[in-house]
Amino acid sequence: MDRQPPFNSNQITQRRKVIRTLLGAAMATPVLSLIGCGGASTSTASTSASAATSTGSTGSSGGTTSGSGTKSSGVTTTTDWLSGGTSSMTENFPDDSLFESSSTCSVELTQTLTEGPCYFDSEYRDDISEGQTGLPMMLCLQLVDANCNPLSGYEIEVWHCDVEGIYSGDTSDSSDANGFSSSFCTGNDRDALAAKWFRGIQVTDSAGRVNFSSCFPGWYSSRVIHIHFRVKSNNNDEVVSQFAFSDDFVDAICTSHTDYSSRGEPDTHLSGDTVFRSSDEAYLFDLQQNADGSLLAYKRIVIS
């Protein structure tokens, strides 16, 4: 690894009051194939039986729950989701059994998905929110090989937009910002241009795992709500791709959660997305609601 140690970023604490919609842009087509797999089906994370219920939708791990939060990418309807950003979370990250499958690890062939125009390399940090508001989210990723053996010492980098669909745009410390489209990604928003919110890098531990504290992203025109990720080893890309959320879950949050409801449902769902398809369940996060009302989003990444 040849990156520098973590740096502290200036917190961006002022919530923007004006809602902006970014124009859509055509995304590049996938350029190569790698190996990926969906998340596991078992979690030990706490859930609130009175706060979340499932509507019986089956997600990528083939499971449904009722009255105890959401398993896999199924639908959640609740009035008790937490607000206020990552500082509101009181739950601890679940242990590694989160990723244990009840059966043999299933490896599914997938394609690398476009990096997109909003990438620039970030910094090592656990909480990537920089004080921004939104539904607090534990983002847990596990990197394994084709035999589901954990891979340690790899960099996993994530980036996504804020609740209003705006990406941060402070590239002053970035060594790789050549593809960053500042105007499109930030909307030339002053706060965004001075921030590095919702971007971060971690190195996988002995279990192949990284944990980020973040907030559920918002949406912008022509794209479903998604999170980008990049896996590197010795500064070489292993995979660059994206994960998304089920349409039902997204619509429920965007129409009922206090930090998202003013914008309503996204204008694009999986069937009309420029990157995903409605059948791409392998790209959907596994989800649960934590006991404190925060969101747990987790997924396995498998590389050859």
Side-chain angles (χ1 to χ4, degrees), residues 78-99:
T78 178
T79 58
D80 294 329
W81 285 107
L82 192 62
S83 184
T86 59
S87 62
S88 300
M89 288 194 295
T90 57
E91 290 293 297
N92 296 319
F93 281 91
D95 61 37
D96 293 336
S97 64
L98 175 71
F99 298 100

Side-chain angles (χ1 to χ4, degrees), residues 7-30:
F7 294 90
N8 292 322
S9 299
N10 294 328
Q11 284 199 333
I12 308 297
T13 57
Q14 182 179 10
R15 179 182 178 184
R16 296 186 303 283
K17 298 180 180 179
V18 179
I19 297 173
R20 306 165 180 89
T21 300
L22 299 180
L23 295 177
M27 309 299 284
T29 56

